[in-house]
Amino acid sequence: SPELRGRSAILSAGAIVPVPVSNDDPVDEVNIELVLDASGTAKGNVSIQLRGRTAQSLSESFNYVVGEDRVNMLRGVVQSWLPWASVDEVKLVSKEGAWEVGLTAQVTIPGFGSIEGKEGKTWIIPGYDPGKSGTLAGMYASKVARESALNIDYPIQYRVKRKTKLPANAKVERLAPAVDQKSPFLSANRSIKVEGDTLVEEFVMNLPTGTVTAESYRAFLDTVQTTDSGFLAGVRVRVKP
């Protein structure tokens, strides 16, 4: 399970060893395909494949949550990845009882292209919250310093791919810089490119469970703040001459 990343195991002989980590281990995966209209509203499709503790919890809940209650629960899952989206339609695509949970949705995100400046000639396309619905610093590093160790009990591990089709005649003026963060605490990557009239991005996060000592906390804080800034950086798009 991806939940085991960062944890230790006790062998039969009594030795404590870290659980081996492979970059090929499956994590939560989200694919987002949006079309941005002339008003700045984005509409499109989302597919989500969940693994680990969240998937197991959802799978168990399907035994007793049905009908509209289940639909609302699945909407909540989508909005945990896209907090500002209105979920127009959502559907479970995995089999009940499966250890992986898959769903698809149609979403609308008003104001996804936010106007920059008074003239409204350029928009900012937002990045992605590294904590899915918030920043890493807000979740784990709200204090400047600590006297005790910080325990990270729940990992954040995902791969989000997002494609945004721009309005007619729109032109990307400034891309957000790529992110390639590797530290003892986490690894994070953001890639970004333009393919024709489409902005293509990928966000990969691996913050495993573990303990950050009080002495290492300042370095951890610097790492998560740098990651936050890189993931949240927007893309400037010119929509009017």
Side-chain angles (χ1 to χ4, degrees):
S1 168
E3 306 286 340
L4 295 177
R5 289 187 175 191
R7 297 187 182 273
S8 298
I10 301 178
L11 302 180
S12 57
I16 299 177
V17 297
V19 175
V21 175
S22 169
N23 292 331
D24 297 328
D25 285 347
V27 296
D28 293 342
E29 294 190 57
V30 180
N31 285 281
I32 306 167
E33 295 189 359
L34 302 173
V35 177
L36 190 59
D37 66 21
S39 71
T41 295
K43 294 185 177 183
N45 302 313
V46 179
S47 65
I48 300 175
Q49 194 74 23
L50 299 176
R51 303 174 173 95
R53 188 186 309 175
T54 301
Q56 292 166 6
S57 177
L58 278 172
S59 184
E60 291 174 1
S61 70
F62 293 152
N63 293 322
Y64 54 87
V65 179
V66 296
E68 192 63 26
D69 289 340
R70 178 182 291 188
V71 172
N72 289 333
M73 182 175 65
L74 294 177
R75 282 197 177 101
V77 172
V78 177
Q79 290 176 325
S80 71
W81 292 92
L82 294 169
W84 307 112
S86 172
V87 182
D88 305 317
E89 184 179 326
V90 63
K91 181 172 62 175
L92 180 69
V93 295
S94 58
K95 294 182 179 179
E96 293 192 22
W99 71 276
E100 294 185 7
V101 174
L103 58 138
T104 60
Q106 295 179 3
V107 300
T108 300
I109 309 176
F112 187 72
S114 59
I115 296 175
E116 182 185 46
K118 296 181 179 180
E119 297 181 351
K121 293 183 177 180
T122 57
W123 291 351
I124 297 296
I125 308 299
Y128 188 76
D129 283 335
K132 298 192 300 183
S133 56
T135 64
L136 298 178
M139 298 172 66
Y140 295 111
S142 57
K143 298 179 181 179
V144 176
R146 291 180 65 95
E147 295 181 356
S148 59
L150 170 67
N151 292 321
I152 300 175
D153 298 321
Y154 190 82
I156 302 178
Q157 297 160 331
Y158 61 76
R159 177 177 289 103
V160 173
K161 297 179 180 180
R162 187 174 72 184
K163 293 183 178 181
T164 306
K165 182 179 174 63
L166 303 175
N169 301 318
K171 180 181 179 181
V172 174
E173 283 198 339
R174 185 198 65 202
L175 287 173
V179 175
D180 186 12
Q181 179 73 259
K182 291 182 176 64
S183 80
F185 314 109
L186 64 84
S187 62
N189 299 88
R190 178 186 183 180
S191 61
I192 183 169
K193 60 183 178 180
V194 178
E195 295 181 351
D197 60 355
T198 301
L199 185 64
V200 180
E201 301 170 273
E202 183 176 62
F203 303 85
V204 181
M205 173 64 63
N206 178 24
L207 174 61
T209 57
T211 300
V212 180
T213 65
E215 294 76 17
S216 301
Y217 179 75
R218 183 67 234 187
F220 174 77
L221 178 61
D222 291 342
T223 298
V224 297
Q225 288 178 336
T226 300
T227 304
D228 285 343
S229 297
F231 271 42
L232 292 172
V235 175
R236 178 182 289 131
V237 176
R238 178 167 290 275
V239 293
K240 297 179 181 178

